[in-house]
Amino acid sequence: MTNRPFKTGESREQASLLPARVEDYVGPDNPVRAIESFVCALDLAKLGFRHADRGVEMGQPPYDPTDLLKLYLYGYINQIRSSRRLEREACRNLELIWLLKNLKPGYRTIANFRKENWAALKAVNRSFVLLARELGLVGGSVVAIDGSFFHGDASKASIFTRKRLADQIAKLDLEIEAYGKSLEDNDAAEVKADHTGGPGNSGGGDGSDIGAKAAALMAQRSRAQADLDRLEESGETQLSLTDPDARHLVKSGQGVAGYNVQVAVDDKHKLIIADEVVNDSSDVGQLHAMAKAAKEALDAEALLVLADEGYYSSTELKACEDDGIVAYVPPSEGNGRLEKQDRFGRKDFSYDGPTDAYRCPAGELLHPMPGRWPNTSGRVEIRYASRNAICKTCQLRVRCLSPKASRRTIGRWEHEDVLERHRARMQTAGDLMRRRSAIVEHPFGTIKCRAGYRHFLVRGFNKVRGEWSLMALCYNFTRVLNILGFERFMAYMAEKALTLWELALASCRAVHPDGPGALPTEIVSHPALGQPVARPTA
Ligand code: SF4
């Protein structure tokens, strides 16, 4: 029995309310220590961070990019992304106070770091993939590729197509014409009033009002015309006024003003191995670039790549095959025009390699014609044709030929063997394709639903790519920490830091042969070890 109805806190005036050391606020297994150990083990100058290789110079020193990178990594892992919120958290969040050693960078410094170091942030991402490989968390033989739309810092209303601008101009022209007529009516009414001495301007508003509105419409029209001219000159299909690189992307009836984020995900632990941000709605054309980036990141001799039918492209499959990448992509169905007319389609004709001829449903052969032709998509084809005399008497001609044709032709891509091999392996790819969605949908699900990252805070390709790198890095970082466990991660990082420290020490010894007594303090006490290291004895 106590004499208090509720639990009560301690007095704010009490001198010993808080522990004396910042270190005491952060437990030994706090993940913030993992962020510290990872960032301190990076060579930020090599990764291209601004100011990373700065020596002692005149004037106020800048913030160390190591500290700002720690701040961003902590922020993105904990759903704190805006520079103003990061500034506030750096002042009141004890984990951040510990991580930054009570440094309090302003929001401009924080925002500029993300803007200026977009390429270096991508490089950090790649470094972490390398680390995951060293830790044995990457299978390196199977990756799944997919894309997802993210909102940009732009609205749909700020993105214009040619048609939209032309419609806008036409609408403005009508309104200007209407106002011009009102102005004429107004003038006529005033003239009449002067003659009769009665009240003039029986229409809406006086002439100066109408004139001002007409002038505003004219200005609006010239802006729209200037936008249309800019769009024509650029050769693009859309003009975005807020974020110049964001586009109105549409897929399955859903529209987003933003970017299409592409990822290649390793199947072992669903880590993002390679990524890119594009502004095209379609995934066609991304297969080879993403697969190649993944292969390079994995340093693999061969790679098996899984993607959905949105990536199907014969030229992309050929490029993959040329680079030792085996792609599994369900073929797109096509429009099925011939099937709808109950006529034989391409699949009803089988190719016979030894005789280099197609066999039609009636069992007759179609032989290659001399020459090669580019088809509508630019692929060079060889045409195979049946014989007029045979088709003329064929029982199946109604289902095979168009009313005006006297023979059937089939186009064969000059690299059709690539597609034949692909078709053959897709026959038994059911399990692989089911695995694809399980692998690749995990990162997007986690980033979008768990972290709530569905939009970018920055504008323009470079900055957006930098921000995506932070999102992907935080996904990979959290995942590696969950899979490996804090203890093992820290042990690995300590070992790595020690190696780095020994290397740095050796190179300094070469420059300072007088012994460790002459070594700079930052080498004797390397921050990568998380705590001061005993000064080595000579
Ligand atoms: S019409 Fe000619 S190509 Fe078509 S099935 Fe008959 S023989 Fe074969």
Side-chain angles (χ1 to χ4, degrees), residues 344 349 359-366 386-387 390-401 406-408:
F344 296 132
F349 291 75
R359 194 169 290 281
C360 73
E364 301 294 338
L365 291 176
L366 282 72
S386 59
R387 289 174 57 199
I390 292 176
C391 291
K392 201 173 172 183
T393 57
C394 176
Q395 303 284 316
L396 301 173
R397 61 172 293 141
V398 181
R399 289 195 61 204
C400 186
L401 307 181
S406 57
R407 64 178 179 175
R408 182 72 187 255

Side-chain angles (χ1 to χ4, degrees), residues 95-270:
E95 289 176 342
L96 267 181
I97 290 171
W98 178 91
L99 192 60
L100 302 185
K101 297 180 182 164
N102 211 18
L103 284 172
K104 295 179 175 68
Y107 71 90
R108 278 188 207 282
T109 305
I110 297 170
N112 287 342
F113 176 81
R114 185 170 48 193
K115 278 186 213 159
E116 289 165 358
N117 293 295
W118 65 271
L121 290 169
K122 278 186 78 116
V124 175
N125 215 0
R126 285 195 293 272
S127 294
F128 194 78
V129 171
L130 207 62
L131 188 121
R133 275 177 55 198
E134 288 168 8
L135 285 163
L137 300 177
V138 175
S141 55
V142 180
V143 298
I145 292 173
D146 204 359
S148 183
F149 292 171
F150 281 65
H151 295 272
D153 189 20
S155 66
K156 286 180 200 167
S158 68
I159 299 175
F160 294 86
T161 57
R162 278 192 193 91
K163 182 177 180 308
R164 201 173 149 207
L165 281 167
D167 288 350
Q168 192 182 8
I169 290 169
K171 191 167 167 250
L172 284 166
D173 280 342
L174 285 176
E175 285 179 38
I176 290 165
E177 201 182 306
Y179 272 105
K181 192 166 179 313
S182 297
L183 266 178
E184 281 170 17
D185 291 348
N186 203 63
D187 289 346
E190 279 178 5
V191 170
K192 192 178 171 192
D194 284 346
H195 286 297
T196 59
N201 187 21
S202 58
D206 62 22
S208 61
D209 277 353
I210 297 169
K213 280 174 189 164
L217 284 172
M218 294 286 278
Q220 220 177 323
R221 192 199 182 280
S222 0
R223 282 197 296 275
Q225 186 61 54
D227 288 341
L228 185 58
D229 294 344
R230 263 170 69 197
L231 185 57
E232 300 282 0
E233 270 170 38
S234 69
E236 298 276 343
T237 53
Q238 296 182 22
L239 176 77
S240 177
L241 299 181
T242 318
D243 175 350
D245 294 324
R247 292 288 177 273
H248 186 199
L249 311 175
V250 182
K251 195 187 272 179
S252 313
Q254 300 280 326
V256 163
Y259 294 88
N260 183 356
V261 175
Q262 298 284 315
V263 291
V265 182
D266 183 76
D267 81 322
K268 188 173 180 183
H269 285 300
K270 303 182 177 87

